Amino acid sequence: MFREKLQNIYQLGCKELWSLWRDPIMLVLILYTFTISVYTAATALPDGLSKAPIAIVDEDHSILSERISSAFFPPYFVAQSTELNAMDSGMDAGQFTFALNIPVDFQKDLLAGNPATVQVNVDATRMSQALSGAGYIQQIVLSEVNEYIQGHRQATALPVELELRARFNPTLNSQWFGSVMQIINNVAMLSIILTGAALIREREHGTIEHLMVMPVTVFEIMLAKVWSMSLVVIIAAFVGLKVVVQGALHVPIDGSLLLFFLGALLTLFATTSMGIYMATISKSMPQFGLLMMLVLIPMQMLSGGLTPRESMPEFVQQVMLVAPTTHFVSLAQAILYRNAGFDVVWPSFLCLIAIASVFFYVAWKRFKDTIHTMA
């Protein structure tokens, strides 16, 4: 009896794989999700300030103002001189992100010990450059002013020296973070899409009625969908890590891939169950897509992959403990970034086992009730 159940689960899973193989749209989605999507997510993240357009209005025309103007150069800034009457209109038209106005008698006031101000206008709608760029401009202006007043560029020796050591990402390269996190997020997203779409496709094509008259149980049908779609996601994630992350982007991964994929399997057990449950609620693919947006976007935004959970409200942190992506992000970052072993990530594994079991039972109960209703 047990052998027959295993054979039914295996054959039904193979049927799911053949159905997926005959669906070119889904195949393109899988290929895109773990190749182009990963590459663009890694390279699109701003690595810092780069070629920010800045307009400089030099009303002083002094040696100091010229030194300040010449200090803004690529790759951080692209400077251009402009007139005062054209500064505001240029900012309104989006021609530059920053505008620096050096007033008349700026150098004279500094040398006389009088208060002197420099106006910096920032286009705050360009958030990726506005915050860091304003800090860069402040440092550049103050550095040039101090060096001019002191008459030399020698740095002042401080009694305390800060020794900075960046762990796990010594070059502070955002591609290391963006590419791996995209793989992690896509594992959850694609598993929900594949399992939900497979069930809805069977219902729309009428093949679910064929399964109902076969000598198979609801548990076998559901488990077949879980293992087949999980296998597809695991293979796609492995290819994405090896070909895109390590091959194309040259991101070093020192952690155990075996341990990472073991955690991914537990996560997939939960997320595929979520996909089946959502598919039983939805009556069509458009409804499933809308429902998936309501569930998936909060899971990805609040799981700790984009923003540290410590910076979130306490209530959100507690609620997100029931989401499998929260624990998957935690163990994946620990394994892939910090080369953590099982002795470090076992609490996340334990939580995933509990969450996956509950999600699978709830989805199985809902799926069973839906099948009986259709009968």
Side-chain angles (χ1 to χ4, degrees):
M1 178 65 72
F2 181 72
R3 183 177 180 181
E4 293 179 357
K5 288 183 176 295
L6 289 179
Q7 188 175 6
N8 290 338
I9 294 172
Y10 171 75
Q11 292 177 349
L12 288 173
C14 292
K15 177 191 73 68
E16 297 292 339
L17 294 176
W18 277 112
S19 299
L20 180 62
W21 180 254
R22 296 188 181 95
D23 192 339
I25 301 299
M26 283 297 178
L27 293 178
V28 172
L29 176 63
I30 296 171
L31 181 63
Y32 169 82
T33 301
F34 285 99
T35 54
I36 300 176
S37 174
V38 175
Y39 186 84
T40 54
T43 55
L45 287 174
D47 212 10
L49 193 66
S50 177
K51 297 180 180 180
I54 178 172
I56 300 177
V57 179
D58 187 1
E59 297 182 288
D60 192 27
H61 300 290
S62 61
I63 297 176
L64 178 56
S65 64
E66 291 179 359
R67 289 183 55 170
I68 294 175
S69 301
S70 61
F72 296 93
F73 49 82
Y76 298 111
F77 294 96
V78 176
Q80 64 182 69
S81 299
T82 186
E83 300 298 328
L84 182 62
N85 55 7
M87 182 178 67
D88 290 337
S89 60
M91 291 283 291
D92 294 339
Q95 297 176 1
F96 33 79
T97 306
F98 306 98
L100 180 68
N101 183 11
I102 305 175
V104 179
D105 295 333
F106 175 69
Q107 176 180 307
K108 181 179 178 180
D109 290 338
L110 280 176
L111 296 177
N114 298 326
T117 59
V118 176
Q119 184 185 54
V120 179
N121 298 305
V122 182
D123 182 1
T125 60
R126 303 181 179 183
M127 289 301 297
S128 62
Q129 295 181 331
L131 183 61
S132 59
Y136 274 60
I137 293 174
Q138 183 181 15
Q139 292 179 9
I140 291 173
V141 172
L142 293 179
S143 176
E144 293 297 330
V145 169
N146 291 333
E147 290 172 358
Y148 180 78
I149 293 177
Q150 294 175 4
H152 59 82
R153 291 183 178 270
Q154 183 178 357
T156 303
L158 299 177
V160 177
E161 182 179 358
L162 181 64
E163 186 70 25
L164 177 63
R165 297 182 180 179
R167 298 287 303 275
F168 316 119
N169 188 356
T171 61
L172 301 179
N173 190 344
S174 62
Q175 292 187 7
W176 291 23
F177 177 80
S179 58
V180 175
M181 286 311 306
Q182 189 69 12
I183 291 285
I184 296 172
N185 290 332
N186 288 347
V187 166
M189 179 189 70
L190 193 63
S191 59
I192 295 176
I193 293 176
L194 290 180
T195 50
L199 181 56
I200 294 178
R201 184 171 53 241
E202 284 190 340
R203 193 167 59 202
E204 291 179 344
H205 294 173
T207 55
I208 191 70
E209 286 81 1
H210 298 169
L211 294 176
M212 293 169 57
V213 298
M214 293 177 62
V216 293
T217 63
V218 176
F219 179 82
E220 294 171 358
I221 297 174
M222 183 173 169
L223 199 59
K225 295 182 183 296
V226 169
W227 83 257
S228 58
M229 296 300 104
S230 297
L231 177 64
V232 172
V233 175
I234 287 293
I235 294 176
F238 180 80
V239 173
L241 276 174
K242 285 296 183 180
V243 176
V244 181
V245 177
Q246 292 184 300
L249 297 173
H250 306 290
V251 177
I253 295 179
D254 298 327
S256 171
L257 291 181
L258 179 61
L259 190 61
F260 166 73
F261 282 112
L262 180 60
L265 280 175
L266 295 177
T267 305
L268 288 169
F269 191 57
T271 53
T272 50
S273 301
M274 291 177 60
I276 293 175
Y277 182 84
M278 293 161 58
T280 58
I281 298 176
S282 307
K283 298 184 182 301
S284 62
M285 279 300 296
Q287 286 188 4
F288 176 74
L290 293 174
L291 183 60
M292 190 187 68
M293 292 173 59
L294 294 175
V295 174
L296 188 62
I297 293 178
M299 283 177 54
Q300 292 187 346
M301 293 183 63
L302 304 177
S303 61
L306 301 178
T307 305
R309 296 185 64 249
E310 293 77 11
S311 62
M312 302 178 188
E314 185 68 25
F315 174 75
V316 176
Q317 296 184 38
Q318 298 300 325
V319 170
M320 288 305 296
L321 289 177
V322 302
T325 51
T326 300
H327 305 282
F328 182 47
V329 167
S330 177
L331 71 87
Q333 289 181 344
I335 295 171
L336 298 180
Y337 290 147
R338 301 187 290 272
N339 194 18
F342 184 76
D343 58 325
V344 175
V345 298
W346 70 264
S348 298
F349 276 81
L350 192 62
C351 292
L352 281 175
I353 292 174
I355 293 172
S357 301
V358 173
F359 280 20
F360 184 85
Y361 174 78
V362 172
W364 169 77
K365 190 72 169 57
R366 171 69 186 182
F367 190 26
K368 184 178 180 181
D369 294 341
T370 305
I371 291 292
H372 292 166
T373 302
M374 295 177 59

